[in-house]
Amino acid sequence: MTSETPEDSDLDRIEQLEKRVEYLESVIRNSDREQASAYESSQRETREKASAQTEKPGIGERFIDVFSMPAILKDNWLYWIGVGLLLLGVIFLFNYSVEQGWLIPPVRSAFGLLIGGTLFWLGFTRFAGDKIRPFLMGAGIGAFYITGFATFQLYSFISYPLAFSFMIAVTVLSFGTSIRQNSSTLALIGTLGGLATPFMLYRGDGSLLMLMIYCCIIMTGAAAIYQFKEWGSLLWSKFIGGSLVLLVALVTSVLDVDDPLFADRWILQSSLIYMLGLVWVLPVVKELKKGSYQGRTMEDGTPPATDKIRIRENPHIQALALLIPVLAVQFTHGVWSLSEPNLGFLAIIGSSITASFCFPLRRAGFRDLSATHMFSALVLFTQAMFLFFQGNMLLIVVILEALALRYASTRFRGQILSLGSHLLVMIAWLLMAGETLFSLGESTAILNMQAMSEMLVLISTGVFIPIYLKNSKTSGFYQLLAHIGMLAWLAKELTPLDNGQMITSVAWGIYAVIVLIAGFWVKRPKLRGVGMATLLLVVGKLFFVDLSQTSALLRIPLFMGFGAMLLLIGYFLQKYWSEGVVPDSKEG
């Protein structure tokens, strides 16, 4: 039996320790992989949850909007037609019973209540499907409104306070059932029915103040439901119903009155401001509260799983943001009968208020909604410029605004801003054409205010705006339009002078040479082609216009000068004709 030396024992222990170290290292590596995998899995789940939340109408919302215009047109149109025909039948029944003298008025009203109650009850039964249930309830609510109207207006056996209280109860029933049943259809019917109640019970007298207070209360209830449910249909019902009420009140209290009361004007103005807060400001503020996930932290304090999440924006608010500011300014003008300068200042104020929403919305991640508010602000600003300025100054302001809008559309990537820029350029050209057609002319050619403002439009169209255009075809169209405009501008300014046709031809020729040389200088074949086409146009003008309208003495230097100029151009540029040029690479 061999004895084990101390050196062999030490080596064995070292070998065992190395194996143990290797085993521990492998355990640590496996643990790190598992932790990394678990972390990646949790991050993936967090990103999926965040993405799912952005696709919902609100953060943590329990309800969704089941009412939308496409659903009405595509899926539910039979239900709406059926409800409409049913309610028309109820109206015809009441009218026919009055004409025929059937039964006594209380029995007729009771029969109407029975129809409405039956329809409303059917909506609660288990036999009604999920789709038809809100329409049955809505038909019942409509029958209640019709019964109240007929009882008060046709039968007249109940007092106004009792009829009004009944209609209010129907509205409250509609609002409450819409929340309980999660039905935007009932909320829409309740809003429109509640706003129509004063007009259904109208008998030739009433207080404007009480009407506005009542309508503001109904819209406040609808706004409270919208804050909870975010139904786009309810938002539109508030806007349409409130606008109709304000319009009727404006016509009857101000426009059709020889000397409107100052108090009535203020009542209308105050009601407008309050309704603007309900229909426009509150929905926008609610969108702002959703905010962006950028920079936020999760519940456990960790940063968000993704750096940039695009929030789904509300199309209803975007559409209303295009309408409400402009309509509000026009309504205020109708209330106070403002002069043009005062209306211009009002448009500036409205533009500033609308624009104040742009940057908070953009910081919160609502790019399209921010661009929509910017576009509405620019519409009001343009209206103010039309009211403040006329003639050449208006032309300058419009084209400068178009330049600013074109830059903003490139900076913030807004399609609405881009469309606004194109529209303003079109307006500028229409204004320039109008000034050209109806102006009496200036004594000094070119060196006059109208000519300088038109030159600014041409330079902006052909040089500055194309810089911020990404589409090469659109950029080329703008440049071609500016080129044609430049030729027309030279002809308009120079033709009225003595020997104006000859001077115009000379100016066109010099301009064509500049364009041609520029095409060779920047190596743009399209620009060179435009210069050559312009030279051919000048040659054609020499033969078909100048030959008959220029004196024999002036024809000699005119034709000889152009001939020599063409020879010189061909001589100095001959080495470039056959050389390859860099094709147009401009994309924006």
Side-chain angles (χ1 to χ4, degrees):
M1 182 173 181
T2 61
S3 62
E4 185 178 2
T5 63
E7 289 81 6
D8 295 336
S9 178
D10 292 337
L11 290 175
D12 291 339
R13 285 195 298 270
I14 292 173
E15 185 177 357
Q16 291 177 357
L17 288 174
E18 289 177 349
K19 291 181 179 179
R20 184 177 295 273
V21 169
E22 291 177 358
Y23 171 77
L24 292 175
E25 288 178 349
S26 65
V27 170
I28 292 174
R29 284 195 296 270
N30 292 333
S31 176
D32 290 340
R33 291 194 189 98
E34 292 176 356
Q35 290 179 359
S37 177
Y39 177 78
E40 291 176 358
S41 178
S42 64
Q43 291 292 85
R44 190 181 307 108
E45 292 177 358
T46 304
R47 284 193 293 268
E48 290 174 356
K49 290 180 180 179
S51 177
Q53 285 182 340
T54 59
E55 294 177 357
K56 296 180 180 179
I59 301 175
E61 287 291 331
R62 297 170 54 194
F63 302 97
I64 59 174
D65 187 356
V66 297
F67 181 97
S68 61
M69 293 304 294
I72 294 176
L73 296 176
K74 295 179 181 179
D75 301 331
N76 302 326
W77 61 275
L78 279 176
Y79 298 144
W80 283 100
I81 294 177
V83 169
L85 293 176
L86 184 61
L87 295 180
L88 282 176
V90 174
I91 295 174
F92 294 151
L93 175 62
F94 278 115
N95 185 56
Y96 190 72
S97 66
V98 173
E99 294 177 354
Q100 298 298 321
W102 291 351
L103 305 176
I104 61 176
V107 176
R108 300 169 190 166
S109 297
F111 187 67
L113 293 176
L114 179 62
I115 295 176
T118 302
L119 291 171
F120 194 77
W121 173 78
L122 287 174
F124 277 100
T125 61
R126 61 185 180 88
F127 301 103
D130 292 336
K131 284 190 175 182
I132 198 174
R133 177 176 285 112
F135 293 94
L136 289 173
M137 294 180 180
I141 295 293
F144 288 150
Y145 278 122
I146 294 172
T147 302
F149 165 77
T151 301
F152 181 76
Q153 295 287 10
L154 301 180
Y155 306 150
S156 303
F157 68 88
I158 62 174
S159 62
Y160 180 85
L162 184 59
F164 190 80
S165 300
F166 172 77
M167 302 292 260
I168 291 296
V170 174
T171 301
V172 173
L173 176 64
S174 181
F175 280 164
T177 310
S178 70
I179 297 175
R180 183 179 179 83
Q181 297 294 321
N182 193 30
S183 172
S184 60
T185 304
L186 295 176
L188 182 148
I189 294 174
T191 301
L192 296 180
L195 293 174
T197 293
F199 303 98
M200 289 191 289
L201 304 181
Y202 181 70
R203 281 190 170 178
D205 56 353
S207 169
L208 177 64
L209 177 60
M210 297 306 297
L211 173 65
M212 291 295 102
I213 291 177
Y214 168 78
C215 292
C216 288
I217 292 174
I218 295 296
M219 292 193 63
T220 301
I225 296 176
Y226 176 81
Q227 292 295 105
F228 183 51
K229 299 286 192 176
E230 294 191 33
W231 286 328
S233 57
L234 184 58
L235 194 63
W236 280 102
S237 65
K238 289 192 300 176
F239 169 70
I240 295 174
S243 299
L244 291 176
V245 171
L246 288 175
L247 180 61
V248 172
L250 175 65
V251 172
T252 56
S253 301
V254 176
L255 299 182
D256 285 349
V257 179
D258 294 333
D259 188 15
L261 297 177
F262 183 77
D264 290 346
R265 295 180 188 268
W266 268 112
I267 291 172
L268 288 173
Q269 188 65 54
S270 302
S271 302
L272 172 67
I273 294 174
Y274 184 77
M275 291 184 184
L276 285 177
L278 295 178
V279 181
W280 176 32
V281 178
L282 280 182
V284 172
V285 172
K286 184 172 180 61
E287 293 295 299
L288 280 172
K289 286 183 178 180
K290 294 178 183 178
S292 174
Y293 289 96
Q294 298 180 12
R296 294 190 177 186
T297 58
M298 309 302 289
E299 294 181 356
D300 58 355
T302 60
T306 179
D307 294 333
K308 182 178 286 188
I309 298 178
R310 183 70 180 271
I311 299 177
R312 195 177 84 175
E313 304 188 34
N314 193 320
H316 304 287
I317 300 178
Q318 291 187 54
L320 289 175
L322 289 173
L323 299 174
I324 290 177
V326 179
L327 294 179
V329 170
Q330 306 312 314
F331 182 86
T332 303
H333 172 53
V335 170
W336 300 100
S337 301
L338 301 174
S339 61
E340 287 191 358
N342 291 333
L343 180 58
F345 284 114
L346 176 64
I348 290 292
I349 295 173
S351 176
S352 302
I353 295 174
T354 306
S356 65
F357 289 101
C358 297
F359 294 104
L361 285 170
R362 185 168 182 83
R363 284 197 299 267
F366 300 97
R367 293 182 179 179
D368 294 338
L369 189 56
S370 173
T372 302
H373 280 80
M374 178 64 73
F375 184 77
S376 295
L378 288 169
V379 170
L380 290 174
F381 183 79
T382 303
Q383 180 187 6
M385 296 303 101
F386 271 87
L387 294 170
F388 285 146
F389 304 105
Q390 294 180 353
N392 303 319
M393 194 63 193
L394 175 61
L395 183 62
I396 294 174
V397 171
V398 170
I399 195 62
L400 291 178
E401 187 178 353
L403 284 171
L405 198 56
R406 171 50 50 193
Y407 172 77
S409 66
T410 304
R411 178 67 176 81
F412 301 110
R413 299 179 182 179
Q415 293 182 352
I416 296 180
L417 298 179
S418 178
L419 176 61
S421 174
H422 293 312
L423 290 176
L424 286 176
V425 172
M426 183 177 67
I427 291 174
W429 276 79
L430 291 176
L431 290 174
M432 185 168 62
E435 290 291 331
T436 301
L437 292 175
F438 299 105
S439 64
L440 299 177
E442 299 286 345
S443 58
T444 304
I446 297 179
L447 300 177
N448 58 80
M449 188 60 185
Q450 179 179 340
M452 292 294 101
S453 60
E454 292 171 352
M455 176 60 71
L456 176 62
V457 174
L458 295 173
I459 295 176
S460 300
T461 304
V463 179
F464 298 135
I465 290 180
I467 294 176
Y468 301 103
L469 287 172
K470 295 182 179 180
N471 190 301
S472 59
K473 292 183 179 179
T474 306
S475 176
F477 172 78
Y478 269 81
Q479 292 171 340
L480 180 61
L481 180 65
H483 175 72
I484 296 174
M486 178 63 72
L487 295 177
W489 180 80
L490 289 172
K492 178 183 74 73
E493 292 295 320
L494 300 177
T495 301
L497 301 176
D498 294 337
N499 299 315
Q501 292 293 346
M502 183 188 70
I503 298 175
T504 301
S505 297
V506 173
W508 279 14
I510 296 174
Y511 172 68
V513 170
I514 294 174
V515 173
L516 181 63
I517 295 175
F520 280 103
W521 182 268
V522 299
K523 297 182 179 180
R524 293 283 178 82
K526 291 182 180 179
L527 187 60
R528 187 183 69 182
V530 170
M532 291 298 300
T534 307
L535 279 177
L536 294 177
L537 177 65
V538 175
V539 173
K541 183 177 182 297
L542 289 176
F543 284 97
F544 293 102
V545 178
D546 298 344
L547 191 61
S548 60
Q549 297 189 15
T550 305
S551 63
L553 182 61
L554 293 178
R555 292 175 198 163
I556 300 172
L558 181 62
F559 278 76
M560 292 182 64
F562 267 100
M565 182 181 65
L566 293 176
L567 291 174
L568 289 174
I569 292 174
Y571 174 75
F572 285 107
L573 298 179
Q574 59 181 337
K575 66 177 181 178
Y576 296 104
W577 292 109
S578 57
E579 289 185 1
V581 294
V582 178
D584 288 326
S585 59
K586 182 179 182 299
E587 295 294 335

